[in-house]
Amino acid sequence: MNNLNIWQQLVEQTKLRWPEVLEATSVHIQLVFFSMILAVLIAVTLGILITRVPKLKTGVLGAAGIMQTIPSLAVLGFMIPIFGIGVKTAIAALFLYSLLPIMRNTYTGIKDVDPATIEAARGMGMTSRQILFKVELPLAVPIIMAGIRTAAVINVGNATLAAFIGAGGLGDFIFLGITRGIDGLILLGAIPAAILAIALETFFSAVERWTTPEGLK
């Protein structure tokens, strides 16, 4: 195998492991999907909270920012005593890495709503809850979607590290390729991960454009 060039190795490994690639891609998507669902629910809620209670902003955003500075493998290591080895730990770590961009964009999107628009809604008799759900959040959706897009793309890359704790995914091929010195195996994991990241970027970019009001495009 090592006598073949990298592209020949990739072709050979693809022929041998195509069903495994499909299964690993499915696992990879599930890791990203479930971690993102949790992150969106929690981060958007926290983002709304810090717009209503400004004194919490520094602490909440600071804590999420600190999480971003911790190496991914270290976060996985910290999670193992809590969730054990496997999928739960991977999802928990990916969830933590997703919080900051979504939370920060939620906060920014709501705070950037024109105060005159809010005053007009209040003048129409809307309650604070109605203003949030009928005015602020709809106008903030494009910015929130940008944060979700960023988090999703980052998570696709970080999810490859799940292989180190037995959670599966495309990182299995990268790890196996490194340990065996087979570059084709590394590409077998890296290329589908890159394609998945590009697909998510394209999808969320389209959603972001679709949710942007005509006057703001």
Side-chain angles (χ1 to χ4, degrees):
M1 180 64 70
N2 290 329
N3 294 327
L4 302 176
N5 65 45
I6 188 170
W7 298 112
Q8 290 173 326
Q9 291 178 22
L10 176 61
V11 171
E12 287 299 318
Q13 290 297 327
T14 301
K15 291 178 180 177
L16 290 172
R17 301 176 182 271
W18 182 244
E20 297 174 47
V21 172
L22 293 178
E23 182 178 353
T25 301
S26 175
V27 171
H28 206 91
I29 291 172
Q30 290 177 56
L31 291 175
V32 173
F33 177 78
F34 288 113
S35 63
M36 286 300 300
I37 290 293
L38 290 173
V40 169
L41 291 174
I42 301 299
V44 170
T45 300
L46 289 175
I48 293 171
L49 177 64
I50 59 179
T51 65
R52 269 45 189 175
V53 189
K55 64 182 180 181
L56 295 178
K57 174 190 170 185
T58 301
V60 173
L61 288 179
I66 290 173
M67 286 304 309
Q68 292 285 323
T69 66
I70 302 175
S72 304
L73 282 176
V75 174
L76 288 170
F78 293 146
M79 293 293 104
I80 288 175
I82 302 173
F83 298 105
I85 293 176
V87 172
K88 290 182 180 179
T89 294
I91 290 176
L94 293 174
F95 157 75
L96 292 174
Y97 264 95
S98 302
L99 288 176
L100 181 60
I102 302 173
M103 190 192 313
R104 184 173 54 199
N105 279 36
T106 300
Y107 173 83
T108 301
I110 292 175
K111 296 299 287 185
D112 282 352
V113 174
D114 189 348
T117 302
I118 296 175
E119 284 302 317
R122 190 171 288 119
M124 295 171 61
M126 286 189 179
T127 64
S128 296
R129 183 184 180 86
Q130 289 173 324
I131 291 173
L132 173 64
F133 286 101
K134 295 184 178 181
V135 178
E136 292 176 309
L137 281 178
L139 291 175
V141 163
I143 298 177
I144 296 172
M145 288 305 306
I148 294 174
R149 180 187 66 189
T150 300
V153 172
I154 291 174
N155 261 8
V156 171
N158 285 336
T160 58
L161 297 176
F164 288 93
I165 58 167
L170 293 167
D172 281 348
F173 298 109
I174 297 174
F175 180 66
L176 190 61
I178 292 172
T179 55
R180 294 186 180 181
I182 302 176
D183 294 335
L185 267 177
I186 297 175
L187 287 181
L188 196 61
I191 290 177
I195 292 173
L196 182 58
I198 292 171
L200 283 175
E201 169 75 20
T202 302
F203 171 75
F204 283 116
S205 293
V207 173
E208 185 181 338
R209 288 194 300 272
W210 179 68
T211 56
T212 301
E214 287 297 327
L216 299 179
K217 291 182 179 180

